[in-house]
Amino acid sequence: MFNHYESSTRKPLILGKKTLKNITDDIFNPIKNKAGNLWWISFFISILAFLWGLGCIFYTIGTGIGVWGLNRTINWAWDITNFVWWVGIGHAGTLISAVLLLFRQKWRLSINRSAEAMTIFAVIQAGLFPIIHMGRPWNAHWVLPIPNQFGTLWPNFNSPLLWDVFAISTYFSVSTVFWFMGLIPDFAMIRDRISDPFQKKIYSILSFGWGGTSKDWQRFEELSLILAGLCTPLVFSVHTIVSFDFSTSVIKGWHSTIFPPYFVAGAIFSGFAMVQTLLGVARKVLSLESYITRNHIEYMNMIILLTGGIVLLAYISEFILAWYSGNAFEKFIYFSVEAAKGPFWWAFWSLIICNIIIPQFLWIKSVRRSFFWSYVIAIIINIGMWFERFDIIVLNLSHDYLPSSWTGFIPSFVDVGIFIGTIGLFFILYLLYIRTFPVISQSELKTILKTDYNKK
Amino acid sequence: MNIHALYNNDTYLIKSIKIIHSHNYEIYEVYSPFPIHNLTQVLKLKKTNLSFFSFIYGLLGLCIACALTWYTMIWDWPQNIGGKPSFSWIKNLPSFIPVIFEFSIYFSAHFMCITYLIQCRLFPGRIPKNPDPRTTDNMFLIEIHTKKNAEKLIDLLKKNGAIEIMIKKY
């Protein structure tokens, strides 16, 4: 057999002397073997969280969104914060897959499948919030341009909220298709290995009869490349459009032209942080230490540093422009002196600490290459990015143009419950996914080995 | 006669294909567990037309989105929302661009995938195309259909890295 060859000029992407057979086994074993205790404990906790959230959703729908902590002034708060946060998390998956594919970055191969799955599961959570926030979710289909019993009743295509519907649903469906198409050869690998007849049947259906003929591969590569080309502008468009929800409004602190690039950078920042979080778990639970290496962690941290830098630049611009405008109301926007010392000071400073100060430790090489510290910083960034969305939404709404309507916001247990429920559902989906689907794109990963032993 | 030659190395596979071609045997199919980049040139495969179809589907999505926004917002029920001009599609266009863009991508991606599945004849529950399950693991397979002297071909395959050869008669 061939020994694994690594170029001396490039850091190795796969550790150990792996062969093609080893890669197949390493990806197939977590599916074939029974789940460990750690998996069952995580699954049980996720189920509990999800059930709490589900109860809160039923309570909301049965009673009305008055059970949330909203009020006349702050009529969006926790829910839309969660929506934007989840959409942001959904960004890194397609970015890793599509943009890094176009840039021929081979390091994406060990992590892209998990990241794509994360995208899909995160967008599912995101989609729940606007639907519940409608108050009458059974009428959610009214946002689609379909003939209805009211005659000439169409959705308003001028509205950024409707742009969201199209952006998120297109992003979700295209990302799912991108993910599934890439999975077909890997499903075929499982189909050809698995012995249980029921599972064999399921994977036979999922693999679509894939055989890996030369023409199939040729078309597959073309398809992947075009889908990547289509997904790349989609990644940028989705969060741009989410930012339009705010920037096309007349609320002070929101009507900002910097929002689209700032939101996209923030989404990639938080998305990569979530990929770090999930891969930290998958690496240990599925014994993928040879494939998810320090180099992968470091490369992702570099992107986190870059996008974090863009986000910091946006924060500075927001602060300076609010001050420079001389507008009395702009003084109360989420990035202002008043925000830092006002009633939401804790949210403001959480944002500063989690998103600006802590990530700077990634400039230190030993921290950037440390699994433990990367994991800790990634979780802190996740929290910080949630606070960023909370600050943008709640702080700006709390001080509107009419001082008599200035008010605060206290989330109810239902607000908190639904959020925790979505985290539970997200982890349920992810845990089920790592047990049943190949977490690493084994067929693509094998191309790195191929290149290596060609040089022998 | 249907001859299957198995390889455990793509370098030998490519070398073998070239030699088989040089002896005027016709390769029916090559199976591999991952895409091999110079295989397309070696087998002289025709370029795929997926990118062209993708562009056409994108255009179709664009046209449908334009027609939909015009019909719903301008023709069927023009409403004055936020003072936006409601009697001219072209003046309303900037606010329709996000939807038009998303429609184009949606159509392009989905219909291209459907075209791909049809072209490759892949569908749920189809009988696996690969004759040997090891080709989704670490093996490469060349399938040759020949009526000529099979022994000479088998010798040729053995000398050039085939680790297993199976012969099936039609």
Side-chain angles (χ1 to χ4, degrees):
Chain A
M1 271 321 267
F2 325 98
N3 287 324
H4 180 57
Y5 171 82
E6 295 292 352
S7 161
S8 54
T9 53
R10 290 200 174 186
K11 291 173 186 168
L13 292 172
I14 302 171
L15 299 179
K17 294 184 183 305
K18 297 283 180 188
T19 61
L20 296 176
K21 182 89 186 145
N22 293 144
I23 294 180
T24 310
D25 293 341
D26 291 343
I27 309 304
F28 176 58
N29 284 341
I31 298 162
K32 186 183 73 176
N33 298 338
K34 288 203 165 118
N37 288 340
L38 198 63
W39 188 90
W40 279 110
I41 293 166
S42 317
F43 193 65
F44 182 69
I45 295 168
S46 306
I47 291 266
L48 283 183
F50 171 60
L51 289 176
W52 181 17
L54 197 65
C56 289
I57 290 172
F58 279 126
Y59 181 51
T60 303
I61 294 169
T63 318
I65 57 170
V67 297
W68 293 357
L70 303 176
N71 53 52
R72 216 171 32 170
T73 308
I74 302 176
N75 42 19
W76 289 4
W78 198 274
D79 48 318
I80 303 297
T81 300
N82 298 337
F83 162 71
V84 184
W85 186 70
W86 276 120
V87 175
I89 285 171
H91 265 68
T94 307
L95 186 99
I96 287 174
S97 264
V99 181
L100 298 183
L101 171 70
L102 294 178
F103 283 110
R104 309 281 181 202
Q105 294 297 305
K106 297 278 186 194
W107 62 271
R108 63 179 264 287
L109 292 175
S110 295
I111 52 175
N112 70 331
R113 183 61 58 67
S114 272
E116 285 167 32
M118 181 197 77
T119 288
I120 292 154
F121 304 148
V123 175
I124 290 172
Q125 314 312 321
L128 284 173
F129 286 98
I131 292 173
I132 305 168
H133 196 211
M134 285 174 183
R136 294 176 190 169
W138 51 92
N139 287 337
H141 62 282
W142 284 8
V143 298
L144 302 172
I146 47 176
N148 55 72
Q149 68 270 38
F150 300 108
T152 49
L153 180 69
W154 297 108
N156 177 15
F157 287 109
N158 292 307
S159 163
L161 296 177
L162 192 71
W163 302 344
D164 258 359
V165 172
F166 284 90
I168 306 271
S169 49
T170 304
Y171 184 62
F172 176 71
S173 66
V174 173
S175 298
T176 309
V177 160
F178 190 33
W179 181 54
F180 187 80
M181 287 294 161
L183 274 165
I184 289 176
D186 294 358
F187 282 141
M189 178 276 285
I190 301 169
R191 173 200 70 201
D192 290 342
R193 316 260 95 67
I194 209 142
S195 48
D196 180 77
F198 176 71
Q199 287 180 319
K200 204 175 186 71
K201 184 82 196 156
I202 298 290
Y203 288 110
S204 292
I205 293 169
L206 290 172
S207 64
F208 282 36
W210 174 268
T213 69
S214 46
K215 194 71 190 172
D216 285 357
W217 279 123
Q218 187 206 22
R219 290 193 184 119
F220 180 85
E221 290 210 290
E222 181 97 350
L223 180 89
S224 304
L225 205 63
I226 303 167
L227 276 178
L230 291 171
C231 284
T232 304
L234 203 55
V235 170
F236 292 98
S237 82
V238 174
H239 230 65
T240 298
I241 290 174
V242 168
S243 81
F244 284 166
D245 292 348
F246 303 98
S247 58
T248 57
S249 74
V250 291
I251 307 288
K252 46 92 197 166
W254 280 5
H255 57 282
S256 172
T257 48
I258 203 173
F259 265 24
Y262 159 35
F263 268 49
V264 170
I268 299 165
F269 185 50
S270 65
F272 267 90
M274 189 56 108
V275 175
Q276 291 273 37
T277 313
L278 291 181
L279 286 178
V281 178
R283 184 177 171 274
K284 275 280 164 208
V285 173
L286 305 176
S287 310
L288 297 173
E289 285 90 347
S290 305
Y291 303 101
I292 301 163
T293 66
R294 279 185 201 284
N295 294 326
H296 292 92
I297 300 295
E298 186 181 14
Y299 294 145
M300 283 196 281
N301 280 332
M302 284 173 175
I303 295 187
I304 288 176
L305 267 178
L306 172 72
T307 48
I310 301 171
V311 169
L312 171 63
L313 201 65
Y315 290 165
I316 295 169
S317 315
E318 289 279 298
F319 191 87
I320 290 175
L321 285 173
W323 164 76
Y324 190 66
S325 71
N327 183 321
F329 296 101
E330 291 279 326
K331 279 182 187 167
F332 293 103
I333 68 158
Y334 72 107
F335 247 100
S336 59
V337 178
E338 276 68 19
K341 57 185 190 187
F344 289 104
W345 63 269
W346 47 272
F348 177 88
W349 288 107
S350 301
L351 159 70
I352 300 288
I353 293 166
C354 297
N355 280 357
I356 299 176
I357 297 170
I358 302 282
Q360 302 315 317
F361 286 102
L362 292 173
W363 287 106
I364 304 163
K365 192 169 182 177
S366 56
V367 175
R368 200 165 65 225
R369 288 180 64 81
S370 154
F371 288 110
F372 176 75
W373 289 115
S374 297
Y375 193 71
V376 171
I377 292 173
I379 290 177
I380 291 172
I381 292 171
N382 282 323
I383 297 167
M385 286 307 289
W386 187 89
F387 274 109
E388 185 202 287
R389 277 70 184 247
F390 180 83
D391 285 7
I392 290 173
I393 294 158
V394 176
L395 264 73
N396 287 329
L397 283 175
S398 66
H399 287 75
D400 68 5
Y401 293 113
L402 200 64
S404 64
S405 63
W406 289 4
T407 184
F409 169 78
I410 298 167
S412 74
F413 78 93
V414 187
D415 282 308
V416 181
I418 295 176
F419 180 48
I420 289 178
T422 55
I423 293 176
L425 179 57
F426 177 74
F427 278 100
I428 287 173
L429 294 171
Y430 187 74
L431 288 166
L432 288 174
Y433 154 76
I434 63 173
R435 289 281 304 123
T436 49
F437 281 27
V439 280
I440 291 181
S441 173
Q442 52 90 29
S443 57
E444 284 186 90
L445 198 64
K446 283 171 182 171
T447 58
I448 307 180
L449 278 191
K450 182 202 73 170
T451 316
D452 291 337
Y453 61 65
N454 269 347
K455 292 172 188 167
K456 276 275 183 193
Chain B
M1 203 172 285
N2 193 352
I3 296 174
H4 291 173
L6 265 178
Y7 297 80
N8 60 3
N9 180 332
D10 62 318
T11 313
Y12 290 139
L13 176 91
I14 297 287
K15 217 170 82 183
S16 211
I17 291 171
K18 286 177 184 166
I19 291 166
I20 294 165
H21 274 314
S22 69
H23 285 79
N24 293 324
Y25 287 101
E26 200 184 326
I27 293 174
Y28 177 72
E29 195 52 88
V30 175
Y31 302 88
S32 65
F34 55 80
I36 303 167
H37 287 278
N38 42 355
L39 193 64
T40 308
Q41 287 86 38
V42 175
L43 290 174
K44 297 186 182 74
L45 295 179
K46 236 174 85 181
K47 199 183 170 305
T48 70
N49 45 17
L50 274 172
S51 47
F52 172 71
F53 280 122
S54 161
F55 176 70
I56 298 295
Y57 296 140
L59 274 184
L60 179 73
L62 186 134
C63 295
I64 289 177
C66 291
L68 183 77
T69 46
W70 169 80
Y71 177 73
T72 56
M73 297 274 97
I74 311 296
W75 175 257
D76 196 40
W77 191 248
Q79 303 162 79
N80 193 337
I81 302 161
K84 287 181 180 130
S86 52
F87 300 103
S88 162
W89 183 81
I90 201 76
K91 284 182 184 169
N92 251 318
L93 184 61
S95 63
F96 294 153
I97 282 174
V99 174
I100 293 171
F101 173 78
E102 300 297 336
F103 258 82
S104 309
I105 299 275
Y106 184 92
F107 272 67
S108 182
H110 289 274
F111 282 105
M112 180 181 58
C113 288
I114 293 168
T115 308
Y116 163 76
L117 293 174
I118 293 170
Q119 283 185 338
C120 293
R121 290 176 181 76
L122 298 171
F123 52 86
R126 186 193 197 280
I127 297 164
K129 283 184 188 179
N130 50 334
D132 192 309
R134 288 173 292 177
T135 57
T136 52
D137 183 357
N138 60 341
M139 294 289 178
F140 308 83
L141 189 145
I142 303 178
E143 189 176 348
I144 308 158
H145 292 183
T146 180
K147 286 175 186 163
K148 287 197 276 184
N149 185 356
E151 275 174 22
K152 189 184 157 199
L153 173 64
I154 292 162
D155 255 10
L156 205 65
L157 294 170
K158 275 183 188 165
K159 273 184 204 159
N160 290 292
I163 57 161
E164 232 175 86
I165 297 165
M166 285 152 287
I167 305 160
K168 287 179 186 169
K169 288 188 176 161
Y170 295 123

